Amino acid sequence: MTVQKNNALIFIFITILIDSIGFGIIIPVMPDLIMSLSNCNASKAAVYGGWLSVCYAIMQFFCSPIIGNLSDRFGRRPVLLLSLLGLGIDYVFQAFAPALGWLFLGRIIAGIGGASFTTATAYIADISTPEKRGQNFGLVGAAFGLGFIIGPALGGLMAKMGVRAPFMLAAGFSLANTIYGYFILPESLSKQNRRKFEWKRANPIGSLLHLKSNPILSGLIVSMILLYLAAHSVQSTWAFFTKFRFGWDESMIGYSLTVVGVLIALVQGGLIRVITPMLGQKNSVYVGMLLYTLGLVLFAFASSGWMMFIFLLPYCLGGICGPALQGIMSSTVLPSEQGELQGALTSIMSLTSIFGPLVMNNVFYWFSNRSRPSMYFPGAHFILGAICMLLSILFAINSLKSWHLATKKAS
């Protein structure tokens, strides 16, 4: 049984890794593909690229609860394999897109298939003991970190064969993983732990309202929203801020993102397995959020480019909080509700991916305008992120206290 669970964890890790590689592999060629399909310059292509990202995030927002609830009804295995198959076919579709509208349709379909992340995290919750959940959720972050390193590098190499070649490679990865999973992936959700599919719980609002009835989850959901918003102060502005503040070129930005990927992979793939058992899940959340806050404040006041690399250390170490928080949340729901929970969390992440960049990028724009010297502070968006992170801690405190007491009583 242990060997079977380990094989399943390896498959889930590979699934999320391939998903993130597939996302990253098309980044280097997307501008050129958009320009060739729309006959426009890079500036206009950036606008189209932004709307393509919004379409993807919106579809994930609406479809993640549906996918999660379907996996609670029919099991994780068939839903996960069908999502991977659909994603592979969609990459082929995008590779042969004859017009920009077709590319938009492809990204919409990719948003649906990308909801496989929901089922993958529900699978982790199914096969993990409460003590190991936080550590195993760390594999998700490690996979994203590695994908963030491998994907763009592969995309750049494949681009030499044409702007559509990376899409075909991404398709090959997804379809190969589907075949691999078909033969080795066991079902993780037993039939007695399944429940009927309900549309009122299979939409973002209905799903969140149902989960809100859980007193521990309600505060942690708000905490998670604020955490994701804070993260966009870095994710959405890093390239713009470092170019504006320190004059970094594309290569330097690329190197820094590689460092980010390596640090995330090390923290969430290895270090978390030592720190979380030492601190416990509750303290890992607090320590991680405080490290995130420290990193954001340091970014805001950095006066030289080299400082950003140093300040990445506390910021990326803050990554111990996400898996611990997710592990705690998953321990508060029944096995038949894991898909619903993970779908709701993916919806939250998608929603903040729509509004987070709008908020943080505009704050950066407003405070980096030299025509308003009294308000000039290019790092203001990092401070806003730090404030969101501190608020996230405040919302988490009562819920974590209640969870800790409930855990003590249960033991």
Side-chain angles (χ1 to χ4, degrees), residues 282-298:
K282 180 167 73 81
N283 289 332
S284 293
V285 172
Y286 290 139
V287 171
M289 286 182 174
L290 288 172
L291 284 168
Y292 268 144
T293 306
L294 174 62
L296 289 167
V297 172
L298 290 172

Side-chain angles (χ1 to χ4, degrees), residues 15 32 96 103 162 360-361:
T15 295
D32 286 335
F96 291 100
L103 197 59
M360 296 302 176
N361 286 32

